[in-house]
Amino acid sequence: MQKDDYFKFENETQDFPLYNDNPHISAGKWAVMILSAALTIFLIMVPLDFLSELGIYKRILYFIIPVLGFGFAVDWKFGLICKKFKKGDFKLIVILLIAEFVFSSVLNFALTYFGVVAQDNPVISQLTSISTWLVFPFQIFGEELIKIIPFIVFLMLFYKFTKNRKMSIVIATTLSLLIFALLHLPAYESLISVLFLQGLGSIFTMYAYLKTKNILVSYAIHLLLDTIIFLIVLVPVMLGII
């Protein structure tokens, strides 16, 4: 891989796994990884009666399924996407966390101004439940993984045919964020809202992964952002203000 194949914000000593046979995995393992993400997406998008009996704990499946699928595909070498934090990562997390919070707040205000109003996330009504907070960190990691798996798959496909790394990254990023946005459609019931807020708004967490090649960095931003938003909603309720 040549220097020109990397974006300026990337660390040229690191690359994304799998797409360029780094390392090589069999077609069968690619299939397992893809199916794990597809099954998770299906379970999120399509309500199933027998899973509703699990209540909030069904969201653990959004973590277990992609983790097992990806883990099996890479022989449990999670170091391919989970790396040790570096000193600069913490600064990056703070900057991107603030940027995403401000961006999402402004965008939400703009959408509301133009009459685009989404349904409240059902999780909001469950924030006083301890089980919600126990499941929450696992669900968020699962969400990050079903954002990264499609990215790696699309990157592999487009790079295989174009040999253009930069273009493949742009296309793979766009498609993975689109899928991630649509995952939120059952909860918010507003296509425009999820495309902008959950899709475009997630460019900050995606940038974190693109820059560091470390899903733990994007996970930290996603987890902190949602925690802040939930606490903003929960604290007034707990204090009896609303």
Side-chain angles (χ1 to χ4, degrees):
M1 198 68 63
Q2 299 180 353
K3 183 177 180 180
D4 290 342
D5 292 322
Y6 286 78
F7 289 102
K8 290 183 178 180
F9 64 81
E10 289 186 87
N11 181 348
E12 297 169 12
T13 63
Q14 295 181 320
D15 200 2
F16 305 108
L18 305 179
Y19 81 99
N20 193 25
D21 286 335
N22 51 329
H24 173 79
I25 63 173
S26 66
K29 289 187 174 182
W30 274 109
V32 169
M33 183 171 63
I34 293 170
L35 286 173
S36 71
L39 177 58
T40 307
I41 291 170
F42 175 79
L43 293 177
I44 294 173
M45 298 291 291
V46 181
L48 299 175
D49 292 338
F50 74 93
L51 287 180
S52 63
E53 298 178 3
L54 297 176
I56 191 68
Y57 292 105
K58 71 179 181 181
R59 297 174 184 270
I60 286 287
L61 294 174
Y62 308 161
F63 167 82
I64 293 175
I65 296 172
V67 165
L68 290 179
F70 183 83
F72 175 80
V74 299
D75 294 326
W76 314 106
K77 297 175 182 177
F78 285 99
L80 291 171
I81 57 171
C82 299
K83 308 179 188 302
K84 292 182 179 179
F85 284 102
K86 297 180 180 179
K87 186 177 180 180
D89 292 340
F90 298 103
K91 180 180 179 181
L92 181 68
I93 288 171
V94 173
I95 292 173
L96 292 178
L97 176 62
I98 294 173
E100 183 165 357
F101 183 80
V102 172
F103 178 82
S104 298
S105 299
V106 172
L107 192 54
N108 186 55
F109 176 82
L111 290 173
T112 302
Y113 178 81
F114 287 105
V116 179
V117 180
Q119 174 179 286
D120 288 339
N121 191 327
V123 175
I124 296 296
S125 63
Q126 303 166 347
L127 291 179
T128 55
S129 170
I130 295 177
S131 59
T132 297
W133 291 96
L134 291 175
V135 171
F136 170 61
F138 295 97
Q139 179 185 343
I140 295 299
F141 187 86
E143 288 185 8
E144 281 302 302
L145 197 51
I146 56 177
K147 188 192 301 175
I148 299 306
I149 290 176
F151 168 78
I152 292 174
V153 172
F154 287 129
L155 180 60
M156 178 271 295
L157 290 173
F158 285 98
Y159 184 76
K160 180 178 181 180
F161 291 103
T162 68
K163 298 302 179 183
N164 186 322
R165 184 178 180 275
K166 286 183 177 179
M167 183 178 71
S168 299
I169 290 173
V170 171
I171 296 173
T173 298
T174 301
L175 292 176
S176 64
L177 290 182
L178 176 60
I179 291 173
F180 186 70
L182 294 177
L183 283 177
H184 292 79
L185 190 55
Y188 293 97
E189 297 184 354
S190 172
L191 180 60
I192 296 176
S193 177
V194 299
L195 287 177
F196 279 95
L197 290 175
Q198 282 73 34
L200 183 60
S202 294
I203 191 64
F204 297 96
T205 52
M206 195 67 195
Y207 173 84
Y209 176 73
L210 295 177
K211 180 174 177 63
T212 65
K213 315 299 189 295
N214 184 2
I215 194 175
L216 297 181
V217 176
S218 62
Y219 169 67
I221 297 170
H222 191 168
L223 183 67
L224 288 170
L225 179 67
D226 281 14
T227 299
I228 291 171
I229 293 173
F230 289 165
L231 288 177
I232 289 174
V233 174
L234 180 61
V235 170
V237 174
M238 298 294 289
L239 296 177
I241 299 174
I242 57 174

